[in-house]
Amino acid sequence: MSVGRREISDEVRREDPELASLIEAEEIRQRTTLQLIASENFASRAVMDASGTVLTNKYSEGYPGKRYYGGNGVIDQVEQLAIDRLKLLFGAEHANVQPHSGANANAAVYFALLNPGDTVVAMRLDQGGHLTHGSPVNFSGKLYRFAGYGVTPRGDGGERLDLDALARLAQQERPKLIVVGATAYPRTIEIDPIRSIADEVGALVLFDAAHVAGLIAGGQYPNPLFMRDGRRGADVVTFTTHKTLRGPRGGAIVCHEDLAAKIDKALFPGFQGGPIENTIAAKAVAFREALQPSFAEYQRNVVLNAQRLAGALSSHGFRLVSGGTDTHLLLVDLQGFDPDLSGKEAQEVLDRAGITCNRNQIPEDPRSPFVTSGLRFGTPAVTTTGMGPSEMDAIGELIARTLLKRSDASEVERIRAQVAELTASFPPPADR
Ligand SMILES: *Cc1c(COP(=O)(O)O)cnc(C)c1O
């Protein structure tokens, strides 16, 4: 394998060696350390190639067939291809592939369905929710009145979305919108009970599938657009294309036909300018990949690996929030393992050992969001490299050893070398 050769074009090397060496350094980091951040993945070479094309040169404000500039005949076909594939993937009546990110997708939905000051209920941030679900430092919390629901108390079968509390909150607040979906919640969320709660108070439902879009596409998580009996579930589903879905960095929206015009208008001209058509082309590639049978198998392995890693970590004395996972991510409570060890310190020492993850608050966390008592791990990226059950066992052991021996610098060095050895056998797909 030639180091960095396939990652950086000869042109970048020639024109901008300073930047080329940074890209190469990042390529080496990704290839020689363990990528366990739950929101990350390795996009295919085809996805990256499509995003690095002449499509970046074109202005195409508007939508296929309704553009503000000339010369969009080909671009229209590119975007329509992405739209058609996405509709097929989710069985959706309508798709918008233009959001630049998951946050923008959520913003567009809020602009489409709400007025400033309207009430929304969403999962609290400290219980697994996302910044765009009403954080006071985010536009969502500044423009709208958010009230938060959370998870049930710790214990057998606990730390699950608290549907009773959500129902009570909805009755009390009479929100215009209920937001479901999370950034650090390891369990499946069924749309059926949420639809009933929303119908009782006349609320709309947004399912934010940023994390689980790939699992949905691969049949490992229920499609929130529909209830089990096929009736309408969530009114709108937003997601990112770069997490489990393994596409380029970006966002997308799917919804039922009656909301299509409102959603499209809110995104453009309401919120964004020109779409990023080179990224949209890469989304089309990713949606095609996600339609293949091999993608369902990949997502199955993502979940199996997450469950295996959860088992390995609990065998080393870590408590898992909610006792395990149904998805691609796990949340580890460090308090039982070592009450002195914060998420911040754990993340830092794991980084030195070449194990990349992020600290995360756990439900009822006594520490601040900046320090935390938890770690979040995910298996989408390592599964893309082909790792399986025995590697998950090895990773569990490496994590435990790093945290136990965290004050022994030479032991951390030895673990770093073991990580390099392990990752050398499982290069990212674009590197093979
Ligand atoms: C990641 C995430 C987002 C935001 O996606 P960006 O592309 O980073 O803007 C929104 N909602 C949830 C639940 C997420 O996990």
Side-chain angles (χ1 to χ4, degrees), residues 3-34:
V3 175
R5 180 48 43 84
R6 304 192 55 190
E7 189 57 39
I8 310 162
S9 79
D10 291 342
E11 208 57 32
V12 179
R13 275 180 208 288
R14 206 164 29 239
E15 293 292 324
D16 193 342
E18 189 182 8
L19 178 70
S21 68
L22 291 174
I23 297 173
E24 182 169 303
E26 173 60 11
E27 192 269 332
I28 292 169
R29 185 197 70 78
Q30 291 186 13
R31 183 159 48 72
T32 58
T33 57
L34 277 165

Side-chain angles (χ1 to χ4, degrees), residues 98-131:
Q98 292 192 3
H100 301 337
S101 66
N104 283 21
N106 287 347
V109 173
Y110 297 159
F111 287 151
L113 306 181
L114 304 170
N115 292 310
D118 278 349
T119 299
V120 184
V121 306
M123 190 178 252
R124 278 172 26 214
L125 256 67
D126 63 342
Q127 309 268 303
H130 187 257
L131 274 173

Side-chain angles (χ1 to χ4, degrees), residues 72-376:
N72 274 302
V74 177
I75 293 291
D76 277 1
Q77 295 176 62
V78 169
E79 188 168 334
Q80 195 59 51
L81 195 57
I83 290 168
D84 291 343
R85 288 174 179 173
L86 179 54
K87 282 163 69 176
L88 202 56
L89 205 52
F90 278 77
E93 289 169 351
H94 182 72
N96 188 314
V97 295
Q98 292 192 3
H100 301 337
S101 66
N104 283 21
N106 287 347
V109 173
Y110 297 159
F111 287 151
L113 306 181
L114 304 170
N115 292 310
D118 278 349
T119 299
V120 184
V121 306
M123 190 178 252
R124 278 172 26 214
L125 256 67
D126 63 342
Q127 309 268 303
H130 187 257
L131 274 173
T132 56
H133 299 178
S135 160
V137 300
N138 183 264
F139 81 93
S140 55
K142 294 182 198 285
L143 281 184
Y144 308 105
R145 220 190 116 256
F146 273 81
Y149 58 84
V151 297
T152 54
R154 187 176 300 191
D156 213 17
E159 294 170 310
R160 312 292 168 105
L161 197 160
D162 191 342
L163 284 168
D164 295 336
L166 171 53
R168 274 197 304 277
L169 186 68
Q171 287 294 341
Q172 193 184 309
E173 300 288 345
R174 313 299 288 190
K176 205 177 216 179
L177 179 69
I178 296 179
V179 179
V180 220
T183 198
Y185 179 72
R187 297 296 180 173
T188 301
I189 300 173
E190 298 272 355
I191 203 69
D192 296 43
I194 290 155
R195 181 76 264 170
S196 318
I197 293 169
D199 286 345
E200 273 172 34
V201 298
L204 291 162
V205 178
L206 162 63
F207 192 104
D208 181 347
H211 261 268
V212 295
L215 298 176
I216 295 165
Q220 304 303 316
Y221 193 104
N223 183 345
L225 274 178
F226 306 100
M227 296 198 284
R228 278 170 188 270
D229 65 5
R231 281 182 304 146
R232 181 169 174 142
D235 297 288
V236 186
V237 176
T238 55
F239 55 93
T240 64
T241 48
H242 50 273
K243 297 181 183 174
T244 51
L245 198 51
R246 207 163 65 178
R249 192 156 290 280
I253 304 170
V254 289
C255 67
H256 303 279
E257 191 57 45
D258 55 312
L259 293 173
K262 264 189 181 173
I263 295 285
D264 284 358
K265 211 168 134 223
L267 187 75
F268 178 86
F271 184 62
Q272 286 188 174
I276 305 176
E277 294 291 346
N278 52 310
T279 297
I280 289 172
K283 288 173 185 174
V285 173
F287 299 153
R288 187 180 172 279
E289 289 176 0
L291 284 162
Q292 309 308 311
S294 58
F295 193 74
E297 195 189 323
Y298 160 65
Q299 295 294 346
R300 175 95 193 110
N301 289 332
V302 165
V303 176
L304 289 173
N305 277 344
Q307 291 171 341
R308 184 78 177 214
L309 182 57
L313 288 168
S314 74
S315 79
H316 290 290
F318 294 96
R319 190 186 81 84
L320 291 154
V321 170
S322 85
T325 180
D326 305 324
T327 64
H328 62 297
L329 76 80
L330 30 141
L331 210 50
V332 171
D333 175 0
L334 294 167
Q335 293 170 110
F337 181 78
D338 182 343
D340 293 333
L341 179 60
S342 70
K344 183 172 186 289
E345 188 188 356
Q347 177 196 310
E348 283 164 5
V349 65
L350 286 168
D351 229 355
R352 287 202 293 281
I355 300 170
T356 314
C357 66
N358 66 280
R359 64 180 176 276
N360 213 104
Q361 273 192 309
I362 55 168
E364 321 283 328
D365 201 319
R367 295 188 176 94
S368 77
F370 190 72
V371 181
T372 84
S373 304
L375 289 173
R376 190 184 67 160

